[in-house]
Amino acid sequence: MELLSENKCFGGQQAVYKHASTSCSCDMTFGLFLPEESRDGPVPVLWFLSGLTCTHENAMIKAGAQAWAAEQGIALVFPDTSPRGAAVANDDAYDLGQGAGFYVNATHAPWAAHFKMWDYIATELPELLAENFPLDMERQAITGHSMGGHGALTLAMSLPGRFKSVSAFAPISNPTQSDWGRKQFTAYLGDDESKWTAHDASLLMQEKGFDGPILIDTGSDDQFYDLLKPEAFAEAVAKRRQPATLRLQRGYDHSYFFVSTFMEDHITFHAEALYAE
């Protein structure tokens, strides 16, 4: 790994690293905040998956998460949202290609060569973190925003026992029925819609649910509300009788102003699960 930057932050350290990824066959970058407690031993881990057009940097700089993570003694991981580089396939649209990995393993050209974000987040990056940093990988939680909220929910439900808790800010909740999903799944996974269902949080909720606490916030004035389809996830939660806290926040939009407003709530929520006996 190459250390790109390191800054003291709320008593801990906010660093950015680059490494050669075997999953994505290119260099990948991630941010890692280690609280002061990590000097004395392994600390719990909260993953933050970002949304469309973002890199590792957006949430790391804008979400205000480090202050609350430092208070709780929790590490934060900020992965990138896709593979990148001159040799990596891309598209002129903002919602496909670099910056829009959708946390799936692409199976169709030209994406399949590099777009293996599921493997990267589920396997490669956790192993890299466990080998190199004082992290307690038995105590992990996950959250994300928009496309990253979709990724957080699908990973949490598909990897039972991995995460103690899951939350999301304005997640894409029913991508198989949304233009934010159908377009990307067709490109990455092909026309067979049966291959898409493993990456739809509402369908996964109906099929599997999650053995732990769930918290989701969405703004009532979110400009992408119709693409997010929060009502589909709420209906699936109700049908399964899944314990979950689903909140519609009056007047908030899709921005990081919304995310940062409720970040304390989410980190406190995860801390309760991570430190539970």
Side-chain angles (χ1 to χ4, degrees), residues 43-205:
V43 295
V45 184
L46 175 60
W47 295 75
F48 190 105
L49 305 186
S50 289
L52 287 167
T53 75
C54 292
T55 69
H56 69 279
E57 194 172 60
N58 295 72
M60 187 181 82
I61 292 175
K62 297 179 180 180
Q66 292 90 340
W68 309 117
E71 188 171 288
Q72 300 287 353
I74 294 172
L76 298 170
V77 182
F78 303 99
D80 203 347
T81 56
S82 78
R84 298 182 191 273
V88 176
N90 202 10
D91 191 273
D92 290 338
Y94 76 95
D95 58 355
L96 187 67
Q98 296 185 34
F102 260 78
Y103 304 101
V104 303
N105 284 341
T107 56
H108 283 57
W111 314 105
H114 297 282
F115 281 72
K116 303 292 186 183
M117 288 302 295
W118 182 274
D119 285 350
Y120 180 69
I121 299 295
T123 303
E124 182 180 0
L125 188 53
E127 291 177 355
L128 184 74
L129 294 170
E131 291 170 2
N132 290 279
F133 301 101
L135 302 175
D136 183 352
M137 304 305 281
E138 296 300 314
R139 292 187 292 165
Q140 295 185 66
I142 191 166
T143 187
H145 174 227
S146 193
M147 179 185 72
H150 140 78
L153 291 168
T154 56
L155 282 155
M157 286 186 278
S158 299
L159 300 172
R162 172 74 63 89
F163 301 106
K164 302 292 186 183
S165 52
V166 60
S167 74
F169 301 85
I172 302 171
S173 299
N174 193 198
T176 62
Q177 302 302 316
S178 170
D179 287 344
W180 273 359
R182 296 188 64 83
K183 172 184 177 179
Q184 294 81 6
F185 290 172
T186 299
Y188 297 147
L189 305 176
D191 294 328
D192 183 354
E193 295 189 18
S194 67
K195 304 287 180 63
W196 303 358
T197 58
H199 299 285
D200 186 303
S202 296
L203 299 179
L204 286 171
M205 176 54 65

Side-chain angles (χ1 to χ4, degrees), residues 18-57:
K18 181 171 72 174
H19 71 105
S21 167
T22 55
S23 300
C24 297
S25 301
C26 64
D27 286 344
M28 294 292 288
T29 305
F30 66 91
L32 176 65
F33 170 74
L34 290 175
E36 190 172 7
E37 289 84 349
S38 66
R39 298 169 191 165
D40 300 320
V43 295
V45 184
L46 175 60
W47 295 75
F48 190 105
L49 305 186
S50 289
L52 287 167
T53 75
C54 292
T55 69
H56 69 279
E57 194 172 60

